[in-house]
Structure formats: C-alpha cells, structure tokens
Amino acid sequence: MDNLFNTEKMTKTMKKAQRCATWKTIFITFCVLIVTLSVGKIANDAITRFLQSQAQNSFYTLHQVKGANEFIGSIRNYPGILGGEMHYKTIKYIEGKVVLTGDDALGYGFLRDEVLYDGAVSVLSIGSNREEDLNSQRYNEFGQREMLFFYPFINYQKKRNDLALLPEMDDHKIMEVALSFDKGYSMQEALAKLPKDVNTTWLWVKDVNETDDHTGKIEENGEVVDSYNVFRSEQDVYGFSLLNANGDVAENPAEQFVRAISSGTRQKSSFQDEYKRLEKEIGGADGLSVNDLVIYGAVVTGNKKTLANLQNLDFIKASSIGVITDKY
C-alpha cells in the first residue's frame, strides 16, 4: 500500500516506460525507413535500367538511319531518379582512321522527355540552309568541316563544288566528301557509277516527295525574295553506312536500314512519328522494302589523288568536303 502512494517511484516508472516506448518507436521507424529506402532503391534501379534500355535502343536505331558517315564511339550512363543521362561520343572512319567528331548527351526517364540535346553547340554550324549561306563554311564543335547535301530536283543558283579544292590540298591528307547526284539511282546503279579506287562509305536515301515544295519562301509584296532549307546538312540526312561499327565492310547494310526503320515505328519514343514518316515516304502504302530505296548521294573517302577521279563526272551534281585529317 505504501508503494501505491510513492509518487517519486511512480514518476520514475512512468519515465522509464516513456523512454522504452520512444526508443521502440525510433527503432521501428528506423527499420521501416531502411526497408523503404532499400525497396525504393531496388525499384528505382530496376525502372531506370528499363528506361535506359528503351532509350538506348531507340538511340542506336536512330543512328542506324541518320547522320552521314557517323558512328557511336562510346557511351557513359549516369542513372538518376526514375531516369538519367547517357553521354556519348561520335566518331567517323576516314580511310580506316578513327576521328572523334562529337560529344553529346541523351536524357531519358519519367521526369524528362527522350530528347537528344547537344553537349556542345558550335556557333559555326548554325545556319538557315539558304543558298547565300554557302558563302560560309560550317564547322562542328571540334572545328571540323561539315558536309552538305543537295537535292537532285532543285535548280540551284549556287551549290558546292569542293572537288575543285583538291589541288590546294596537302598530298598527305585524307578526307571524306559528300557527293550529291543529278537524280535518284538504285543502290547497285550508284555503286557502279563511282570509281573503284574511291572508298564509298555511306549512301544518302531519298526521304521526301519530289513534287512537294522543299524550299521555304520569304515573300515581299507577292514576290519571292529569299528561300531557305534548300539543302541538307550531314546531321539531317537519312541513309545507311556500308561499314559496320568496327569500320569493316557491313553485311546487308540496306536490309539493316529497312529493319531499323521498321523497328523504330514500333518503339515508344519521341522519334516514333519520324520513323512512321520515313516508312511511308520511302516505302509507300504497300510497306517498306530494300527495292524502294532511292539513292540521292554518297559519302566517299580518300586522298587527293584518288578523289581527283571524281572530277568532271556528269552524274555528280555537287560535292562537299567534310573531315580532313592526317593519314597517321
């Protein structure tokens, strides 16, 4: 009975019980937090890997059909929360030599759209693709020349004839050259027309309707005073490489190009509509096949001597020199 009225002892007992309850709550909270964070991390890693795989597949597919004579050299992945970034470098093969041409990145995930953006932007590559812009040479972020392609069905007042620059070149330099043809050819016809001692590395595929107007016009008082988008840069053309990612001769490159477009139409990405446009524009209503491919131009590589064999060939409408490098 004395203990029932021992206030001091009761207070100590209650404080001890409160401390035990507090520590128990802290322990349970800590355990729940650890489990939640662990499960969250596992779930985030799994989701991020899935999103990364989807983005990377779409990204590789795009580079199988777009960008003249260019390959993905390396990729570094930076996963984050429900998404991440892939930083990559692009390369070109010039007569077997590997040349670094770009350093870009791709964002992916629930918190961002799957959109390519440049890791570095060269002010020297900005232009409106007007004929008057041909007075200035475009360069990429590394100071390398960018190639231009010209439609066979547009009558240009001005176009590139960079083959005329060959006599000024160093004998020990090797380079790539974009050739624009006078009309569309089949793959076999195009390759047969090009000299055998010139290495053909990439073919430009027709992806437009020639009856449409592809020249944006600027009018004043009802008269056309300027136009733009009359030619294409090497980053905006579609086609396929005759080399594989290792720089060796590719097997069935035209079939790979067709498969890449068909695959792209089924991939859920920001490029899906563009793949569908390509499939419809190149293949028509009956679907896309290798026989539908029309070649508008090509990229060739060589030195001053071998490339001189291209001069004065009547089927070459325009020529644009790209990357120039030393042989070794």
Side-chain angles (χ1 to χ4, degrees):
M1 292 295 292
D2 293 340
N3 290 336
L4 292 175
F5 299 99
N6 191 333
T7 307
E8 183 179 349
K9 190 171 183 178
M10 289 179 61
T11 302
K12 289 181 179 179
T13 303
M14 291 178 62
K15 287 183 177 179
K16 183 178 180 180
Q18 287 178 341
R19 285 196 298 270
C20 290
T22 301
W23 282 109
K24 184 178 180 180
T25 302
I26 292 173
F27 177 75
I28 293 174
T29 302
F30 179 75
C31 290
V32 171
L33 181 62
I34 292 297
V35 172
T36 301
L37 290 176
S38 298
V39 172
K41 184 179 186 307
I42 293 172
N44 178 72
D45 290 347
I47 294 172
T48 300
R49 281 195 298 269
F50 174 74
L51 295 172
Q52 175 191 316
S53 176
Q54 282 193 321
Q56 192 162 314
N57 288 339
S58 175
F59 169 70
Y60 271 110
T61 301
L62 180 68
H63 276 77
Q64 284 183 293
V65 302
K66 189 176 185 182
N69 204 35
E70 194 167 71
F71 295 91
I72 303 304
S74 64
I75 288 184
R76 288 189 177 183
N77 293 305
Y78 297 91
I81 299 176
L82 299 179
E85 292 184 355
M86 293 188 297
H87 291 230
Y88 64 94
K89 298 182 185 297
T90 56
I91 62 171
K92 290 185 177 184
Y93 291 103
I94 310 295
E95 294 292 282
K97 180 179 179 179
V98 178
V99 180
L100 181 66
T101 57
D103 187 1
D104 305 313
L106 165 67
Y108 62 90
F110 290 135
L111 304 180
R112 68 180 83 190
D113 293 329
E114 184 187 316
V115 177
L116 285 171
Y117 62 93
D118 292 331
V121 178
S122 170
V123 296
L124 299 177
S125 67
I126 298 174
S128 61
N129 289 5
R130 298 180 299 181
E131 287 190 53
E132 67 179 37
D133 290 337
L134 294 174
N135 294 326
S136 301
Q137 173 63 47
R138 292 188 185 184
Y139 299 89
N140 65 17
E141 64 201 72
F142 297 132
Q144 299 160 334
R145 295 169 63 99
E146 289 192 349
M147 297 180 293
L148 302 177
F149 293 81
F150 297 79
Y151 292 114
F153 52 86
I154 292 181
N155 293 320
Y156 295 94
Q157 299 297 319
K158 186 186 301 182
K159 55 183 182 290
R160 281 283 170 81
N161 179 25
D162 284 356
L163 290 175
L165 301 176
L166 290 176
E168 304 174 20
M169 299 289 178
D170 191 312
D171 292 337
H172 302 289
K173 296 291 184 180
I174 52 177
M175 66 201 78
E176 63 176 354
V177 183
L179 304 177
S180 301
F181 297 157
D182 61 339
K183 64 177 183 179
Y185 295 94
S186 69
M187 177 179 172
Q188 292 74 19
E189 290 173 335
L191 294 177
K193 282 183 168 293
L194 292 167
K196 300 301 180 184
D197 53 354
V198 172
N199 292 322
T200 305
T201 60
W202 190 86
L203 296 178
W204 174 26
V205 174
K206 169 190 174 184
D207 69 303
V208 296
N209 188 334
E210 295 185 2
T211 60
D212 294 339
D213 186 4
H214 299 280
T215 60
K217 293 181 171 58
I218 301 175
E219 297 186 5
E220 291 183 4
N221 300 323
E223 295 185 0
V224 178
V225 296
D226 201 356
S227 61
Y228 54 94
N229 293 333
V230 294
F231 54 85
R232 307 266 291 266
S233 79
E234 63 176 66
Q235 299 298 327
D236 299 328
V237 287
Y238 291 93
F240 55 91
S241 176
L242 302 180
L243 305 176
N244 60 29
N246 297 320
D248 301 321
V249 176
E251 294 184 9
N252 304 318
E255 287 83 350
Q256 292 182 30
F257 176 77
V258 170
R259 284 198 298 268
I261 292 177
S262 298
S263 174
T265 62
R266 300 188 297 271
Q267 294 174 349
K268 297 297 183 181
S269 71
S270 57
F271 313 118
Q272 188 175 31
D273 289 340
E274 180 65 2
Y275 289 121
K276 291 180 178 180
R277 183 194 73 82
L278 291 172
E279 186 176 55
K280 180 180 179 181
E281 199 66 63
I282 299 174
D286 58 345
L288 175 60
S289 70
V290 173
N291 294 330
D292 295 317
L293 303 183
V294 177
I295 307 303
Y296 270 177
V299 175
V300 298
T301 63
N303 57 29
K304 171 181 177 179
K305 181 178 179 181
T306 58
L307 294 174
N309 294 320
L310 297 168
Q311 293 177 319
N312 302 319
L313 295 180
D314 56 2
F315 69 94
I316 297 178
K317 180 174 184 175
S319 58
S320 176
I321 293 178
V323 173
I324 304 173
T325 185
D326 294 318
K327 185 175 181 179
Y328 301 106

